[in-house]
PDB file of all heavy atoms in Angstrom:
ATOM      1  N   THR A   1    -182.020-130.042 -82.925  1.00  0.00           N
ATOM      2  CA  THR A   1    -182.314-131.414 -82.507  1.00  0.00           C
ATOM      3  C   THR A   1    -183.174-132.120 -83.531  1.00  0.00           C
ATOM      4  O   THR A   1    -183.808-131.497 -84.384  1.00  0.00           O
ATOM      5  CB  THR A   1    -183.040-131.411 -81.150  1.00  0.00           C
ATOM      6  OG1 THR A   1    -184.270-130.671 -81.269  1.00  0.00           O
ATOM      7  CG2 THR A   1    -182.188-130.793 -80.074  1.00  0.00           C
ATOM      8  N   ALA A   2    -183.181-133.444 -83.411  1.00  0.00           N
ATOM      9  CA  ALA A   2    -184.061-134.242 -84.262  1.00  0.00           C
ATOM     10  C   ALA A   2    -185.510-133.896 -83.943  1.00  0.00           C
ATOM     11  O   ALA A   2    -185.826-133.415 -82.855  1.00  0.00           O
ATOM     12  CB  ALA A   2    -183.803-135.726 -84.015  1.00  0.00           C
ATOM     13  N   ASP A   3    -186.366-134.154 -84.922  1.00  0.00           N
ATOM     14  CA  ASP A   3    -187.767-133.782 -84.740  1.00  0.00           C
ATOM     15  C   ASP A   3    -188.371-134.546 -83.563  1.00  0.00           C
ATOM     16  O   ASP A   3    -188.016-135.685 -83.280  1.00  0.00           O
ATOM     17  CB  ASP A   3    -188.550-134.071 -86.015  1.00  0.00           C
ATOM     18  CG  ASP A   3    -189.793-133.210 -86.123  1.00  0.00           C
ATOM     19  OD1 ASP A   3    -189.874-132.214 -85.392  1.00  0.00           O
ATOM     20  OD2 ASP A   3    -190.662-133.548 -86.942  1.00  0.00           O
ATOM     21  N   ALA A   4    -189.269-133.869 -82.847  1.00  0.00           N
ATOM     22  CA  ALA A   4    -190.015-134.465 -81.746  1.00  0.00           C
ATOM     23  C   ALA A   4    -191.472-134.058 -81.926  1.00  0.00           C
ATOM     24  O   ALA A   4    -191.758-133.062 -82.600  1.00  0.00           O
ATOM     25  CB  ALA A   4    -189.469-133.962 -80.405  1.00  0.00           C
ATOM     26  N   PRO A   5    -192.413-134.804 -81.365  1.00  0.00           N
ATOM     27  CA  PRO A   5    -193.831-134.556 -81.650  1.00  0.00           C
ATOM     28  C   PRO A   5    -194.282-133.117 -81.417  1.00  0.00           C
ATOM     29  O   PRO A   5    -195.110-132.597 -82.168  1.00  0.00           O
ATOM     30  CB  PRO A   5    -194.550-135.523 -80.707  1.00  0.00           C
ATOM     31  CG  PRO A   5    -193.568-136.602 -80.423  1.00  0.00           C
ATOM     32  CD  PRO A   5    -192.227-135.956 -80.466  1.00  0.00           C
ATOM     33  N   PHE A   6    -193.745-132.467 -80.372  1.00  0.00           N
ATOM     34  CA  PHE A   6    -194.161-131.102 -80.057  1.00  0.00           C
ATOM     35  C   PHE A   6    -192.957-130.159 -80.011  1.00  0.00           C
ATOM     36  O   PHE A   6    -192.908-129.254 -79.186  1.00  0.00           O
ATOM     37  CB  PHE A   6    -194.929-131.089 -78.733  1.00  0.00           C
ATOM     38  CG  PHE A   6    -196.299-131.712 -78.828  1.00  0.00           C
ATOM     39  CD1 PHE A   6    -196.502-133.025 -78.405  1.00  0.00           C
ATOM     40  CD2 PHE A   6    -197.352-131.007 -79.356  1.00  0.00           C
ATOM     41  CE1 PHE A   6    -197.754-133.611 -78.516  1.00  0.00           C
ATOM     42  CE2 PHE A   6    -198.610-131.582 -79.476  1.00  0.00           C
ATOM     43  CZ  PHE A   6    -198.817-132.883 -79.050  1.00  0.00           C
ATOM     44  N   ARG A   7    -192.046-130.356 -80.936  1.00  0.00           N
ATOM     45  CA  ARG A   7    -190.809-129.576 -80.931  1.00  0.00           C
ATOM     46  C   ARG A   7    -191.092-128.084 -81.008  1.00  0.00           C
ATOM     47  O   ARG A   7    -191.695-127.590 -81.952  1.00  0.00           O
ATOM     48  CB  ARG A   7    -189.906-129.999 -82.087  1.00  0.00           C
ATOM     49  CG  ARG A   7    -188.549-129.299 -82.094  1.00  0.00           C
ATOM     50  CD  ARG A   7    -187.574-130.007 -83.013  1.00  0.00           C
ATOM     51  NE  ARG A   7    -187.939-129.865 -84.412  1.00  0.00           N
ATOM     52  CZ  ARG A   7    -187.390-128.974 -85.247  1.00  0.00           C
ATOM     53  NH1 ARG A   7    -186.465-128.147 -84.808  1.00  0.00           N
ATOM     54  NH2 ARG A   7    -187.770-128.934 -86.504  1.00  0.00           N
ATOM     55  N   GLY A   8    -190.659-127.359 -79.955  1.00  0.00           N
ATOM     56  CA  GLY A   8    -190.755-125.916 -79.944  1.00  0.00           C
ATOM     57  C   GLY A   8    -192.066-125.334 -79.479  1.00  0.00           C
ATOM     58  O   GLY A   8    -192.196-124.113 -79.401  1.00  0.00           O
ATOM     59  N   VAL A   9    -193.045-126.169 -79.182  1.00  0.00           N
ATOM     60  CA  VAL A   9    -194.345-125.641 -78.749  1.00  0.00           C
ATOM     61  C   VAL A   9    -194.219-125.085 -77.336  1.00  0.00           C
ATOM     62  O   VAL A   9    -193.772-125.780 -76.420  1.00  0.00           O
ATOM     63  CB  VAL A   9    -195.433-126.733 -78.796  1.00  0.00           C
ATOM     64  CG1 VAL A   9    -196.748-126.209 -78.231  1.00  0.00           C
ATOM     65  CG2 VAL A   9    -195.623-127.217 -80.237  1.00  0.00           C
ATOM     66  N   PRO A  10    -194.605-123.821 -77.099  1.00  0.00           N
ATOM     67  CA  PRO A  10    -194.493-123.229 -75.760  1.00  0.00           C
ATOM     68  C   PRO A  10    -195.495-123.856 -74.791  1.00  0.00           C
ATOM     69  O   PRO A  10    -196.625-124.170 -75.167  1.00  0.00           O
ATOM     70  CB  PRO A  10    -194.793-121.749 -75.999  1.00  0.00           C
ATOM     71  CG  PRO A  10    -195.560-121.694 -77.268  1.00  0.00           C
ATOM     72  CD  PRO A  10    -195.090-122.852 -78.091  1.00  0.00           C
ATOM     73  N   PHE A  11    -195.053-124.003 -73.542  1.00  0.00           N
ATOM     74  CA  PHE A  11    -195.812-124.810 -72.582  1.00  0.00           C
ATOM     75  C   PHE A  11    -195.493-124.292 -71.193  1.00  0.00           C
ATOM     76  O   PHE A  11    -194.405-123.748 -70.944  1.00  0.00           O
ATOM     77  CB  PHE A  11    -195.341-126.273 -72.714  1.00  0.00           C
ATOM     78  CG  PHE A  11    -196.192-127.308 -72.038  1.00  0.00           C
ATOM     79  CD1 PHE A  11    -197.435-127.652 -72.540  1.00  0.00           C
ATOM     80  CD2 PHE A  11    -195.721-127.987 -70.915  1.00  0.00           C
ATOM     81  CE1 PHE A  11    -198.192-128.648 -71.941  1.00  0.00           C
ATOM     82  CE2 PHE A  11    -196.469-128.984 -70.312  1.00  0.00           C
ATOM     83  CZ  PHE A  11    -197.715-129.325 -70.831  1.00  0.00           C
ATOM     84  N   ILE A  12    -196.450-124.409 -70.278  1.00  0.00           N
ATOM     85  CA  ILE A  12    -196.179-124.123 -68.865  1.00  0.00           C
ATOM     86  C   ILE A  12    -196.575-125.324 -68.036  1.00  0.00           C
ATOM     87  O   ILE A  12    -197.421-126.134 -68.446  1.00  0.00           O
ATOM     88  CB  ILE A  12    -196.910-122.854 -68.356  1.00  0.00           C
ATOM     89  CG1 ILE A  12    -198.432-123.021 -68.464  1.00  0.00           C
ATOM     90  CG2 ILE A  12    -196.418-121.613 -69.092  1.00  0.00           C
ATOM     91  CD1 ILE A  12    -199.209-121.881 -67.806  1.00  0.00           C
ATOM     92  N   VAL A  13    -195.948-125.453 -66.877  1.00  0.00           N
ATOM     93  CA  VAL A  13    -196.296-126.500 -65.926  1.00  0.00           C
ATOM     94  C   VAL A  13    -196.933-125.872 -64.695  1.00  0.00           C
ATOM     95  O   VAL A  13    -196.679-124.709 -64.371  1.00  0.00           O
ATOM     96  CB  VAL A  13    -195.074-127.360 -65.523  1.00  0.00           C
ATOM     97  CG1 VAL A  13    -194.628-128.215 -66.694  1.00  0.00           C
ATOM     98  CG2 VAL A  13    -193.929-126.507 -65.012  1.00  0.00           C
ATOM     99  N   LYS A  14    -197.753-126.624 -64.039  1.00  0.00           N
ATOM    100  CA  LYS A  14    -198.455-126.144 -62.856  1.00  0.00           C
ATOM    101  C   LYS A  14    -197.469-125.919 -61.705  1.00  0.00           C
ATOM    102  O   LYS A  14    -196.521-126.694 -61.521  1.00  0.00           O
ATOM    103  CB  LYS A  14    -199.504-127.183 -62.469  1.00  0.00           C
ATOM    104  CG  LYS A  14    -200.397-126.828 -61.283  1.00  0.00           C
ATOM    105  CD  LYS A  14    -201.420-127.925 -61.081  1.00  0.00           C
ATOM    106  CE  LYS A  14    -202.319-127.664 -59.893  1.00  0.00           C
ATOM    107  NZ  LYS A  14    -203.352-128.734 -59.745  1.00  0.00           N
ATOM    108  N   ASP A  15    -197.748-124.890 -60.928  1.00  0.00           N
ATOM    109  CA  ASP A  15    -196.897-124.596 -59.763  1.00  0.00           C
ATOM    110  C   ASP A  15    -197.311-125.481 -58.593  1.00  0.00           C
ATOM    111  O   ASP A  15    -197.711-125.010 -57.536  1.00  0.00           O
ATOM    112  CB  ASP A  15    -197.009-123.114 -59.394  1.00  0.00           C
ATOM    113  CG  ASP A  15    -196.019-122.722 -58.302  1.00  0.00           C
ATOM    114  OD1 ASP A  15    -195.024-123.450 -58.104  1.00  0.00           O
ATOM    115  OD2 ASP A  15    -196.248-121.696 -57.638  1.00  0.00           O
ATOM    116  N   LEU A  16    -197.217-126.780 -58.814  1.00  0.00           N
ATOM    117  CA  LEU A  16    -197.535-127.755 -57.768  1.00  0.00           C
ATOM    118  C   LEU A  16    -196.887-129.094 -58.138  1.00  0.00           C
ATOM    119  O   LEU A  16    -197.364-129.788 -59.044  1.00  0.00           O
ATOM    120  CB  LEU A  16    -199.046-127.918 -57.616  1.00  0.00           C
ATOM    121  CG  LEU A  16    -199.505-128.860 -56.491  1.00  0.00           C
ATOM    122  CD1 LEU A  16    -199.096-128.321 -55.128  1.00  0.00           C
ATOM    123  CD2 LEU A  16    -201.018-129.073 -56.529  1.00  0.00           C
ATOM    124  N   ASN A  17    -195.791-129.403 -57.488  1.00  0.00           N
ATOM    125  CA  ASN A  17    -195.142-130.712 -57.586  1.00  0.00           C
ATOM    126  C   ASN A  17    -194.461-130.995 -58.935  1.00  0.00           C
ATOM    127  O   ASN A  17    -193.701-131.974 -59.013  1.00  0.00           O
ATOM    128  CB  ASN A  17    -196.133-131.848 -57.300  1.00  0.00           C
ATOM    129  CG  ASN A  17    -196.711-131.763 -55.900  1.00  0.00           C
ATOM    130  OD1 ASN A  17    -195.992-131.504 -54.936  1.00  0.00           O
ATOM    131  ND2 ASN A  17    -198.024-131.970 -55.787  1.00  0.00           N
ATOM    132  N   ALA A  18    -194.722-130.207 -59.957  1.00  0.00           N
ATOM    133  CA  ALA A  18    -194.167-130.491 -61.288  1.00  0.00           C
ATOM    134  C   ALA A  18    -192.744-129.940 -61.362  1.00  0.00           C
ATOM    135  O   ALA A  18    -192.490-128.889 -61.949  1.00  0.00           O
ATOM    136  CB  ALA A  18    -195.046-129.882 -62.381  1.00  0.00           C
ATOM    137  N   ALA A  19    -191.811-130.666 -60.770  1.00  0.00           N
ATOM    138  CA  ALA A  19    -190.432-130.179 -60.671  1.00  0.00           C
ATOM    139  C   ALA A  19    -189.744-130.188 -62.027  1.00  0.00           C
ATOM    140  O   ALA A  19    -189.796-131.182 -62.746  1.00  0.00           O
ATOM    141  CB  ALA A  19    -189.651-131.033 -59.669  1.00  0.00           C
ATOM    142  N   LEU A  20    -189.096-129.073 -62.356  1.00  0.00           N
ATOM    143  CA  LEU A  20    -188.215-128.958 -63.520  1.00  0.00           C
ATOM    144  C   LEU A  20    -186.883-128.457 -63.012  1.00  0.00           C
ATOM    145  O   LEU A  20    -186.785-127.343 -62.488  1.00  0.00           O
ATOM    146  CB  LEU A  20    -188.797-127.986 -64.553  1.00  0.00           C
ATOM    147  CG  LEU A  20    -187.889-127.662 -65.751  1.00  0.00           C
ATOM    148  CD1 LEU A  20    -187.595-128.920 -66.569  1.00  0.00           C
ATOM    149  CD2 LEU A  20    -188.527-126.597 -66.629  1.00  0.00           C
ATOM    150  N   GLU A  21    -185.875-129.291 -63.121  1.00  0.00           N
ATOM    151  CA  GLU A  21    -184.570-128.981 -62.521  1.00  0.00           C
ATOM    152  C   GLU A  21    -184.080-127.581 -62.910  1.00  0.00           C
ATOM    153  O   GLU A  21    -184.089-127.207 -64.077  1.00  0.00           O
ATOM    154  CB  GLU A  21    -183.551-130.031 -62.949  1.00  0.00           C
ATOM    155  CG  GLU A  21    -182.188-129.866 -62.281  1.00  0.00           C
ATOM    156  CD  GLU A  21    -181.222-130.984 -62.637  1.00  0.00           C
ATOM    157  OE1 GLU A  21    -181.579-131.836 -63.464  1.00  0.00           O
ATOM    158  OE2 GLU A  21    -180.116-130.991 -62.065  1.00  0.00           O
ATOM    159  N   GLY A  22    -183.678-126.830 -61.898  1.00  0.00           N
ATOM    160  CA  GLY A  22    -183.120-125.513 -62.117  1.00  0.00           C
ATOM    161  C   GLY A  22    -184.128-124.380 -62.205  1.00  0.00           C
ATOM    162  O   GLY A  22    -183.761-123.241 -62.469  1.00  0.00           O
ATOM    163  N   THR A  23    -185.406-124.680 -61.947  1.00  0.00           N
ATOM    164  CA  THR A  23    -186.442-123.645 -62.022  1.00  0.00           C
ATOM    165  C   THR A  23    -187.151-123.517 -60.673  1.00  0.00           C
ATOM    166  O   THR A  23    -187.248-124.470 -59.904  1.00  0.00           O
ATOM    167  CB  THR A  23    -187.484-123.961 -63.108  1.00  0.00           C
ATOM    168  OG1 THR A  23    -188.233-125.126 -62.732  1.00  0.00           O
ATOM    169  CG2 THR A  23    -186.824-124.185 -64.443  1.00  0.00           C
ATOM    170  N   PRO A  24    -187.685-122.323 -60.390  1.00  0.00           N
ATOM    171  CA  PRO A  24    -188.363-122.111 -59.106  1.00  0.00           C
ATOM    172  C   PRO A  24    -189.731-122.784 -59.064  1.00  0.00           C
ATOM    173  O   PRO A  24    -190.366-123.004 -60.096  1.00  0.00           O
ATOM    174  CB  PRO A  24    -188.501-120.580 -59.038  1.00  0.00           C
ATOM    175  CG  PRO A  24    -188.517-120.146 -60.464  1.00  0.00           C
ATOM    176  CD  PRO A  24    -187.617-121.096 -61.202  1.00  0.00           C
ATOM    177  N   MET A  25    -190.171-123.095 -57.852  1.00  0.00           N
ATOM    178  CA  MET A  25    -191.462-123.737 -57.627  1.00  0.00           C
ATOM    179  C   MET A  25    -191.911-123.386 -56.210  1.00  0.00           C
ATOM    180  O   MET A  25    -191.120-123.483 -55.269  1.00  0.00           O
ATOM    181  CB  MET A  25    -191.350-125.254 -57.809  1.00  0.00           C
ATOM    182  CG  MET A  25    -192.651-126.023 -57.621  1.00  0.00           C
ATOM    183  SD  MET A  25    -192.473-127.783 -58.074  1.00  0.00           S
ATOM    184  CE  MET A  25    -191.392-128.376 -56.758  1.00  0.00           C
ATOM    185  N   SER A  26    -193.166-122.968 -56.054  1.00  0.00           N
ATOM    186  CA  SER A  26    -193.639-122.587 -54.721  1.00  0.00           C
ATOM    187  C   SER A  26    -194.754-123.462 -54.188  1.00  0.00           C
ATOM    188  O   SER A  26    -195.084-123.380 -53.006  1.00  0.00           O
ATOM    189  CB  SER A  26    -194.124-121.128 -54.732  1.00  0.00           C
ATOM    190  OG  SER A  26    -195.423-121.019 -55.309  1.00  0.00           O
ATOM    191  N   ASN A  27    -195.395-124.281 -55.036  1.00  0.00           N
ATOM    192  CA  ASN A  27    -196.582-125.050 -54.632  1.00  0.00           C
ATOM    193  C   ASN A  27    -197.664-124.139 -54.048  1.00  0.00           C
ATOM    194  O   ASN A  27    -198.474-124.561 -53.230  1.00  0.00           O
ATOM    195  CB  ASN A  27    -196.205-126.153 -53.635  1.00  0.00           C
ATOM    196  CG  ASN A  27    -195.345-127.233 -54.256  1.00  0.00           C
ATOM    197  OD1 ASN A  27    -195.333-127.398 -55.479  1.00  0.00           O
ATOM    198  ND2 ASN A  27    -194.607-127.959 -53.445  1.00  0.00           N
ATOM    199  N   GLY A  28    -197.660-122.867 -54.475  1.00  0.00           N
ATOM    200  CA  GLY A  28    -198.641-121.911 -53.978  1.00  0.00           C
ATOM    201  C   GLY A  28    -198.394-121.434 -52.558  1.00  0.00           C
ATOM    202  O   GLY A  28    -199.255-120.761 -51.976  1.00  0.00           O
ATOM    203  N   ASN A  29    -197.231-121.732 -52.009  1.00  0.00           N
ATOM    204  CA  ASN A  29    -196.921-121.459 -50.607  1.00  0.00           C
ATOM    205  C   ASN A  29    -195.999-120.247 -50.490  1.00  0.00           C
ATOM    206  O   ASN A  29    -194.974-120.171 -51.158  1.00  0.00           O
ATOM    207  CB  ASN A  29    -196.270-122.696 -49.984  1.00  0.00           C
ATOM    208  CG  ASN A  29    -195.739-122.455 -48.595  1.00  0.00           C
ATOM    209  OD1 ASN A  29    -194.534-122.303 -48.407  1.00  0.00           O
ATOM    210  ND2 ASN A  29    -196.624-122.414 -47.623  1.00  0.00           N
ATOM    211  N   ARG A  30    -196.339-119.319 -49.607  1.00  0.00           N
ATOM    212  CA  ARG A  30    -195.559-118.077 -49.499  1.00  0.00           C
ATOM    213  C   ARG A  30    -194.162-118.319 -48.931  1.00  0.00           C
ATOM    214  O   ARG A  30    -193.217-117.610 -49.298  1.00  0.00           O
ATOM    215  CB  ARG A  30    -196.310-117.040 -48.664  1.00  0.00           C
ATOM    216  CG  ARG A  30    -196.698-117.469 -47.263  1.00  0.00           C
ATOM    217  CD  ARG A  30    -197.419-116.346 -46.519  1.00  0.00           C
ATOM    218  NE  ARG A  30    -197.916-116.817 -45.235  1.00  0.00           N
ATOM    219  CZ  ARG A  30    -199.162-117.248 -45.035  1.00  0.00           C
ATOM    220  NH1 ARG A  30    -200.025-117.252 -46.041  1.00  0.00           N
ATOM    221  NH2 ARG A  30    -199.544-117.669 -43.847  1.00  0.00           N
ATOM    222  N   ALA A  31    -194.001-119.314 -48.050  1.00  0.00           N
ATOM    223  CA  ALA A  31    -192.675-119.568 -47.480  1.00  0.00           C
ATOM    224  C   ALA A  31    -191.716-120.082 -48.555  1.00  0.00           C
ATOM    225  O   ALA A  31    -190.557-119.657 -48.631  1.00  0.00           O
ATOM    226  CB  ALA A  31    -192.779-120.555 -46.326  1.00  0.00           C
ATOM    227  N   LEU A  32    -192.184-121.001 -49.412  1.00  0.00           N
ATOM    228  CA  LEU A  32    -191.348-121.483 -50.513  1.00  0.00           C
ATOM    229  C   LEU A  32    -191.074-120.366 -51.505  1.00  0.00           C
ATOM    230  O   LEU A  32    -189.961-120.254 -52.039  1.00  0.00           O
ATOM    231  CB  LEU A  32    -192.009-122.668 -51.208  1.00  0.00           C
ATOM    232  CG  LEU A  32    -191.946-124.017 -50.484  1.00  0.00           C
ATOM    233  CD1 LEU A  32    -192.744-125.054 -51.255  1.00  0.00           C
ATOM    234  CD2 LEU A  32    -190.511-124.477 -50.299  1.00  0.00           C
ATOM    235  N   ARG A  33    -192.073-119.538 -51.768  1.00  0.00           N
ATOM    236  CA  ARG A  33    -191.867-118.399 -52.663  1.00  0.00           C
ATOM    237  C   ARG A  33    -190.779-117.477 -52.109  1.00  0.00           C
ATOM    238  O   ARG A  33    -189.845-117.092 -52.816  1.00  0.00           O
ATOM    239  CB  ARG A  33    -193.178-117.627 -52.820  1.00  0.00           C
ATOM    240  CG  ARG A  33    -193.095-116.391 -53.699  1.00  0.00           C
ATOM    241  CD  ARG A  33    -194.186-115.395 -53.333  1.00  0.00           C
ATOM    242  NE  ARG A  33    -194.041-114.906 -51.955  1.00  0.00           N
ATOM    243  CZ  ARG A  33    -194.958-114.181 -51.312  1.00  0.00           C
ATOM    244  NH1 ARG A  33    -196.101-113.869 -51.914  1.00  0.00           N
ATOM    245  NH2 ARG A  33    -194.750-113.779 -50.071  1.00  0.00           N
ATOM    246  N   ASP A  34    -190.911-117.131 -50.836  1.00  0.00           N
ATOM    247  CA  ASP A  34    -189.966-116.188 -50.234  1.00  0.00           C
ATOM    248  C   ASP A  34    -188.562-116.772 -50.118  1.00  0.00           C
ATOM    249  O   ASP A  34    -187.569-116.039 -50.135  1.00  0.00           O
ATOM    250  CB  ASP A  34    -190.464-115.740 -48.858  1.00  0.00           C
ATOM    251  CG  ASP A  34    -191.729-114.914 -48.944  1.00  0.00           C
ATOM    252  OD1 ASP A  34    -192.079-114.459 -50.058  1.00  0.00           O
ATOM    253  OD2 ASP A  34    -192.390-114.726 -47.894  1.00  0.00           O
ATOM    254  N   ALA A  35    -188.485-118.100 -49.985  1.00  0.00           N
ATOM    255  CA  ALA A  35    -187.179-118.753 -49.892  1.00  0.00           C
ATOM    256  C   ALA A  35    -186.533-118.942 -51.269  1.00  0.00           C
ATOM    257  O   ALA A  35    -185.400-119.425 -51.358  1.00  0.00           O
ATOM    258  CB  ALA A  35    -187.328-120.103 -49.203  1.00  0.00           C
ATOM    259  N   ASN A  36    -187.269-118.594 -52.332  1.00  0.00           N
ATOM    260  CA  ASN A  36    -186.765-118.778 -53.704  1.00  0.00           C
ATOM    261  C   ASN A  36    -186.333-120.223 -53.945  1.00  0.00           C
ATOM    262  O   ASN A  36    -185.268-120.492 -54.492  1.00  0.00           O
ATOM    263  CB  ASN A  36    -185.610-117.823 -53.994  1.00  0.00           C
ATOM    264  CG  ASN A  36    -186.024-116.365 -53.956  1.00  0.00           C
ATOM    265  OD1 ASN A  36    -187.062-116.006 -54.516  1.00  0.00           O
ATOM    266  ND2 ASN A  36    -185.257-115.548 -53.262  1.00  0.00           N
ATOM    267  N   TYR A  37    -187.212-121.145 -53.528  1.00  0.00           N
ATOM    268  CA  TYR A  37    -186.907-122.567 -53.715  1.00  0.00           C
ATOM    269  C   TYR A  37    -186.744-122.886 -55.199  1.00  0.00           C
ATOM    270  O   TYR A  37    -187.567-122.490 -56.035  1.00  0.00           O
ATOM    271  CB  TYR A  37    -188.022-123.428 -53.118  1.00  0.00           C
ATOM    272  CG  TYR A  37    -187.842-124.893 -53.429  1.00  0.00           C
ATOM    273  CD1 TYR A  37    -186.949-125.681 -52.704  1.00  0.00           C
ATOM    274  CD2 TYR A  37    -188.529-125.483 -54.487  1.00  0.00           C
ATOM    275  CE1 TYR A  37    -186.760-127.020 -53.009  1.00  0.00           C
ATOM    276  CE2 TYR A  37    -188.355-126.815 -54.808  1.00  0.00           C
ATOM    277  CZ  TYR A  37    -187.454-127.581 -54.060  1.00  0.00           C
ATOM    278  OH  TYR A  37    -187.266-128.900 -54.384  1.00  0.00           O
ATOM    279  N   VAL A  38    -185.691-123.621 -55.528  1.00  0.00           N
ATOM    280  CA  VAL A  38    -185.417-124.047 -56.904  1.00  0.00           C
ATOM    281  C   VAL A  38    -185.303-125.569 -56.919  1.00  0.00           C
ATOM    282  O   VAL A  38    -184.564-126.153 -56.110  1.00  0.00           O
ATOM    283  CB  VAL A  38    -184.121-123.407 -57.441  1.00  0.00           C
ATOM    284  CG1 VAL A  38    -183.762-123.982 -58.811  1.00  0.00           C
ATOM    285  CG2 VAL A  38    -184.297-121.890 -57.535  1.00  0.00           C
ATOM    286  N   ALA A  39    -186.029-126.207 -57.806  1.00  0.00           N
ATOM    287  CA  ALA A  39    -186.029-127.674 -57.879  1.00  0.00           C
ATOM    288  C   ALA A  39    -184.660-128.187 -58.311  1.00  0.00           C
ATOM    289  O   ALA A  39    -184.034-127.626 -59.233  1.00  0.00           O
ATOM    290  CB  ALA A  39    -187.091-128.148 -58.854  1.00  0.00           C
TER     291      ALA A  39
END
C-alpha cells in the first residue's frame, strides 16, 4: 500500500466499544466472552 503515517506499527484496541469488523469483543463481560461475540 501507499505510505501512511503509522504504516505497519503494531497496535491494540481496548476491549470496550472499539469495534473492529470481524474480530471478537467482550467489553469485559463474561456472557459476551462465552458467546464469542464478533463485531
Side-chain angles (χ1 to χ4, degrees):
T1 60
D3 204 16
F6 289 99
R7 184 165 69 99
V9 175
F11 193 72
I12 62 172
V13 290
K14 183 177 178 178
D15 187 20
L16 183 64
N17 299 317
L20 174 62
E21 185 175 4
T23 67
M25 181 172 69
S26 78
N27 293 339
N29 172 257
R30 57 179 174 264
L32 284 175
R33 178 205 63 190
D34 293 347
N36 296 314
Y37 173 80
V38 173

